Amino acid sequence: MRMHNPPHPGEIIKALCLEPVGLTVTEAAEGLGVSRKTLSAILNGRSGISPEMAVRLSIAFNTSAESWLSQQVQYDLWHAEQGRKALKVIKLAA
Amino acid sequence: MRMHNPPHPGEIIKALCLEPVGLTVTEAAEGLGVSRKTLSAILNGRSGISPEMAVRLSIAFNTSAESWLSQQVQYDLWHAEQGRKALKVIKLAA
DNA sequence: CATTAGCGTAACCCGAAACGTTACGGATTA
DNA sequence: TAATCCGTAACGTTTCGGGTTACGCTAATG
């Protein structure tokens, strides 16, 4: 289990995609083809990156959709691991 | 973009976890702590692997939760890429 | 042959999450 | 002051994971 709470991908988007280019949340949302609210929720960690959003990011910023989704997986998984002990699961294999 | 439709992770679960040990769907579902329907849906590609389910799999089969979720990401992403051209996205960076 | 176990899945309910629109208040800037 | 930009609350829609119940099919077994 990873030790530290990984940052939500929204922070990375803000730091790596918006700020360097001086993009406004409103401008970026329009470019991505989503509402300002949707992008704002992601940037502030209140929504995750959906597969479709990952593709949008890959087009707009010429990046890898997989890398965005992978970061989201790390984030989701870390939180799921926090509840590991609460799950009633029986070991079925060595 | 990946060329071929990646298999849904359920096929891998069936082939790598259930069949080698001779586990029935019912037994595996009980061990995982989910309903038979839920596991059946995953095995037959009608549901994805949620973060929580990935943790359950990692406990029951002593595997990596991350690997299960990564496979799910590959699968989801491939399907999301299929609709890439339908997205109205403007390039915001080189 | 009749019974049982295992399986897929349809019908129905619930809750969570992504996304949209509208609208408000606060902060910053022209 | 007026115009932007932003976060976010409130509302609705859609999708999806998950549970329960129940049905029909198939294969194995008494």
Side-chain angles (χ1 to χ4, degrees):
Chain A
M1 166 164 45
R2 246 152 251 73
M3 286 295 102
H4 300 302
N5 190 329
H8 38 262
E11 295 183 14
I12 284 83
I13 296 177
K14 190 184 297 183
L16 266 54
C17 299
L18 303 199
E19 292 176 349
V21 202
L23 269 178
T24 281
V25 174
T26 303
E27 292 168 342
E30 289 174 354
L32 288 166
V34 300
S35 73
R36 182 168 65 87
K37 176 201 168 185
T38 296
L39 181 57
S40 173
I42 292 173
L43 295 182
N44 295 284
R46 307 192 316 127
S47 291
I49 296 186
S50 65
E52 184 185 299
M53 181 60 68
V55 174
R56 290 182 189 273
L57 289 168
S58 73
I59 300 175
F61 298 107
N62 195 33
T63 52
S64 156
E66 187 174 342
S67 70
W68 293 117
L69 269 192
S70 293
Q71 291 182 46
Q72 186 63 50
V73 161
Q74 298 304 321
Y75 184 76
D76 291 341
L77 188 53
W78 188 87
H79 287 92
E81 293 276 14
Q82 299 311 108
R84 185 187 190 91
K85 294 183 301 299
L87 301 179
K88 299 168 186 171
V89 180
I90 301 173
K91 295 191 178 182
L92 300 172
Chain B
M1 166 165 42
R2 245 150 250 74
M3 286 294 102
H4 301 301
N5 189 330
H8 37 260
E11 295 183 14
I12 284 83
I13 296 177
K14 191 184 297 182
L16 267 54
C17 299
L18 304 198
E19 293 175 349
V21 201
L23 271 176
T24 68
V25 175
T26 303
E27 293 167 340
E30 290 174 353
L32 288 167
V34 299
S35 73
R36 184 168 63 85
K37 176 207 167 182
T38 295
L39 181 57
S40 173
I42 292 174
L43 295 181
N44 294 285
R46 307 191 316 132
S47 290
I49 296 186
S50 65
E52 183 186 298
M53 181 60 68
V55 174
R56 290 182 189 275
L57 289 168
S58 73
I59 299 175
F61 299 108
N62 195 32
T63 52
S64 156
E66 188 174 341
S67 70
W68 293 117
L69 270 192
S70 294
Q71 291 181 48
Q72 185 63 49
V73 161
Q74 299 304 321
Y75 184 75
D76 291 340
L77 189 54
W78 188 88
H79 288 92
E81 293 276 13
Q82 299 311 109
R84 185 188 190 91
K85 293 184 301 299
L87 301 178
K88 298 168 187 172
V89 180
I90 301 174
K91 296 191 178 181
L92 300 173

